[in-house]
Amino acid sequence: MFDPNRIPTTSAADAYERLGGASDAVSPLLVDVREPDEIVEVRPVGGVAMPLSAFMARYRELPTDRPLLMICRSGARSAQATAFLLGNGWSDVTNVAGGILSWMQAGLPTRRGELDPGEGDLPS
């Protein structure tokens, strides 16, 4: 049973490594729960956008058969989303500690500006 006091957490560097598929049979999906204006400002390359303001209406769109890495600005909102998903049937969800701030501090790839068509969309 999920313990809401123990949120699975990983570093930005480890999350990025996992996204490369080095150790996972199924590559994780990076889910950015920040708001659209924050995502336009700076975002991790390859993430999908699901703002927390729309999360409750859309969370069922997230795959249950694929690891999810949740990210926000500093790790607080994504920790909430991680706890919610784990408490509602998802089994492999991990919060990215420090969020996009840690991602940038680690020198990991980011994009800025308006999203390209299809960028940030959930895979079909």
Side-chain angles (χ1 to χ4, degrees):
M1 176 169 236
F2 168 67
D3 178 354
N5 297 315
R6 301 188 61 125
I7 305 293
T9 303
T10 192
S11 70
D14 287 344
Y16 182 72
E17 184 176 319
R18 284 188 65 195
L19 289 168
S23 61
D24 292 307
V26 177
S27 182
L29 182 65
L30 182 64
V31 182
D32 194 333
V33 298
R34 295 174 304 136
E35 296 306 311
D37 60 321
E38 295 174 283
I39 291 171
V40 168
E41 184 180 317
V42 63
R43 61 194 171 277
V45 171
V48 299
M50 186 171 288
L52 205 56
S53 61
F55 192 78
M56 294 307 290
R58 296 191 56 209
Y59 75 91
R60 289 179 186 88
E61 297 173 28
L62 293 169
T64 57
D65 61 347
R66 183 174 179 182
L68 301 178
L69 298 169
M70 309 301 287
I71 193 167
C72 66
R73 180 179 181 276
S74 65
R77 288 176 283 177
S78 53
Q80 292 173 349
T82 299
F84 177 83
L85 291 172
L86 290 169
N88 284 279
W90 277 255
S91 61
D92 193 351
V93 187
T94 304
N95 186 41
V96 178
I100 191 70
L101 296 175
S102 291
W103 190 275
M104 292 186 308
Q105 187 174 30
L108 301 173
T110 59
R111 294 203 60 198
R112 295 177 183 272
E114 294 297 322
L115 278 69
D116 291 336
E119 181 186 2
D121 293 349
L122 283 167
S124 31

